[in-house]
Structure formats: C-alpha cells, structure tokens
Amino acid sequence: ANHKAITRVEFKIRVQTNLGDRVVVTGSAQELGFWEPRNGVEMVTTKETYPIWTAVHHVPSGESVEYKYVVIQGDESLMWESSIENRMFTAEGMVLALEDGTFNQMIRGGGVGGGGYGSGSGGGGGGVGGGG
C-alpha cells in the first residue's frame, strides 16, 4: 500500500484562438511532455466556455513543475508564451486548481482572488431594430 499520492491538477487559461488551433500545456514533467508540445496535455474549450481553455491532469504529489501553454496552430506552427517566465506549480493536496488568467500574461502577486473575469458582461442587447 505504498503508492504515491496523486494530485489532480486543473489548468485554466484564456486564449484567443483561430478555428483549427489547439492549445496544450507542456512543461518540465514527464506528464507534461518534457517541453514537447505535441506530447503535452490537450486542452479543451466549447462554444459556451470559449475563450477559456481547460485541461485536467494527474501529477505525483510533491512534484514541482514548470510549464507553459502553447497554441498549436492549424498549420502545425507553435505559438509559445514567449513574453513571460515559465509558470510553476507544486502538486499538493487532492486537487490543485490553476487559474492562470490570460495566455502570455503572468498574473503578479499570487493571483489568488484576482479580478472577476467577464462578470456581468453581455447583458442588455435587446430592443434594437424593432418597428419595421
């Protein structure tokens, strides 16, 4: 009964993409493909959640991992987060939820309890164009 504890790591990032683009997370751990995006963890988005991309992966607890998000474009070219330092997490506990803000932008100062993304927008488009 000496198996290592596993942490469920939940990645979340806001990425503006084009049709056919894929977003992956890759990094210094074997689970993240050792910085080879094509071996990284595929992220998903939906019509409802775009531009938020998410992925869930399991990492041995206690492991410190450097990582970045990469867009694999339709023509297979890679768009890295080249403007920031490597992101980093340490896998702790049962679940680690990473709220990483926006692609290629680093949240300063811990990033916990940051601004409310997109709250309350998009309402009030009604009533236009009546009266033919």
Side-chain angles (χ1 to χ4, degrees):
N2 189 16
H3 48 262
K4 268 183 80 101
I6 295 290
T7 298
R8 172 189 164 104
V9 182
E10 301 175 351
F11 299 92
K12 182 174 170 185
I13 188 76
R14 173 184 294 257
V15 193
Q16 302 286 343
T17 52
N18 298 310
L19 205 61
D21 288 353
R22 292 152 50 214
V23 181
V24 301
V25 53
T26 188
S28 60
Q30 179 180 352
E31 293 82 11
L32 300 184
F34 289 130
W35 298 111
E36 171 47 70
R38 288 171 187 84
N39 297 335
V41 179
E42 288 277 343
M43 306 192 74
V44 295
T45 190
T46 67
K47 281 204 302 284
E48 292 74 31
T49 58
Y50 178 84
I52 302 297
W53 291 71
T54 57
V56 172
H57 210 60
H58 294 87
V59 177
S61 301
E63 194 164 319
S64 287
V65 179
E66 296 186 34
Y67 67 103
K68 279 188 174 180
Y69 297 97
V70 182
V71 178
I72 303 179
Q73 295 172 310
D75 61 1
E76 292 296 307
S77 61
L78 301 176
M79 193 164 74
W80 288 81
E81 294 189 289
S82 52
S83 302
I84 61 170
E85 301 291 308
N86 292 344
R87 301 173 184 271
M88 183 177 289
F89 70 85
T90 300
E92 290 171 338
M94 297 286 293
V95 178
L96 176 64
L98 301 172
E99 299 266 348
D100 278 331
T102 302
F103 185 81
N104 213 14
Q105 295 177 26
M106 187 71 86
I107 300 176
R108 298 280 171 221
V112 178
Y117 288 111
S119 53
S121 61
V128 181

